Amino acid sequence: MFTGIIESVGHIVSIERRGGDVRLQVRSADMPWADVALGDSIATNGVCLTAVALPGDGFVADVSLETLSLTTVGDWAAGSAVNLEKALMPQSRLGGHIVSGHVDGIGEVVSRASDGRSERFTLRAPAVLAKYIAHKGSITIDGISLTVNAVNGCEFDLNIVPHTLQETIIGRYQSGTRVNLEVDVIARYLERLLLGDKAAESDSKASISEAFLAENGYLR
């Protein structure tokens, strides 16, 4: 688990294709690596990766076809900047929100504009994720825990303060930038709980609709 509070910006050193999968190496001179062991999880642009080698100034990880299909890892190249966060420890402060590092889909930056000393971004999420994004709710963008300022259909706004612009890669975003999205885990579990016994049915039958909510007393 992670908090969405970025510890360091690293860079991709190399990407090696291995029979469809990928092995990559990440380096960051700013991240303290002494407490990282083989097998530890490190969120890399919000993607939970397992360290399979520790060269001293970073880590090496394998990326599966599943992860490649759901994230922006396939867009990365040597030199790409990435947000890094080590796994949450029991004594850590939960400064952001609960982040699993399991990316739900890829979003896209629609626009960017100055807003005082901050920057206001509008992003577009895949239609299937729109229902999990709420005004003043939490969302993870490339591993960064952020608050949603406004929602309009599949699009939502973020107000990014100067510190976040400086300490993460979000300051590099422009219109068209693709980003990893992880919705609030509580919203996902709530949807599943509302289904009740229908959760055991096939996906085609186990879905929440207006008719389902009315039938089960959630709408009057």
Side-chain angles (χ1 to χ4, degrees):
M1 302 299 291
F2 306 91
T3 67
I5 304 300
I6 303 305
E7 295 181 68
S8 173
V9 172
H11 292 82
I12 303 297
V13 176
S14 62
I15 293 183
E16 179 185 350
R17 306 285 173 178
R18 293 190 171 190
D21 292 347
V22 165
R23 171 164 286 198
L24 56 82
Q25 182 175 348
V26 181
R27 175 183 296 148
S28 172
D30 300 326
M31 177 80 89
W33 296 102
D35 61 344
V36 178
L38 290 178
D40 281 0
S41 297
I42 300 169
T44 308
N45 268 12
V47 183
C48 179
L49 298 178
T50 300
V52 299
L54 296 167
D57 58 355
F59 71 101
V60 176
D62 291 319
V63 183
S64 68
L65 283 171
E66 171 76 4
T67 301
L68 289 170
S69 69
L70 292 174
T71 71
T72 62
V73 174
D75 298 342
W76 300 351
S80 294
V82 289
N83 294 319
L84 299 175
E85 181 192 354
K86 291 183 285 190
L88 176 66
M89 301 181 72
Q91 68 270 28
S92 300
R93 289 187 176 93
L94 188 59
H97 70 284
I98 297 174
V99 176
S100 68
H102 302 156
V103 172
D104 293 298
I106 297 174
E108 182 177 329
V109 177
V110 176
S111 63
R112 172 179 181 170
S114 296
D115 189 4
R117 294 192 305 117
S118 300
E119 291 284 314
R120 196 168 190 90
F121 292 83
T122 298
L123 287 84
R124 183 181 297 115
V128 69
L129 297 182
K131 60 185 175 181
Y132 301 111
I133 302 172
H135 179 230
K136 296 303 180 184
S138 296
I139 192 165
T140 307
I141 310 292
D142 278 344
I144 312 167
S145 172
L146 297 169
T147 300
V148 177
N149 292 106
V151 181
N152 181 19
C154 291
E155 296 186 357
F156 60 97
D157 288 356
L158 303 169
N159 189 72
I160 310 300
V161 298
H163 178 80
T164 305
L165 290 169
Q166 180 179 339
E167 298 298 326
T168 73
I169 67 169
I170 202 167
R172 310 176 191 207
Y173 292 175
Q174 299 297 332
S175 178
T177 299
R178 285 160 38 100
V179 298
N180 292 318
L181 301 179
E182 181 186 332
V183 299
D184 190 349
V185 65
I186 296 174
R188 288 189 302 203
Y189 279 113
L190 179 60
E191 178 187 40
R192 193 71 173 165
L193 287 168
L194 285 173
L195 287 170
D197 292 340
K198 288 186 178 295
E201 299 179 7
S202 64
D203 289 343
S204 61
K205 297 179 181 179
S207 60
I208 292 179
S209 62
E210 187 172 348
F212 171 88
L213 293 173
E215 179 184 342
N216 288 274
Y218 295 106
L219 295 179
R220 297 185 184 278

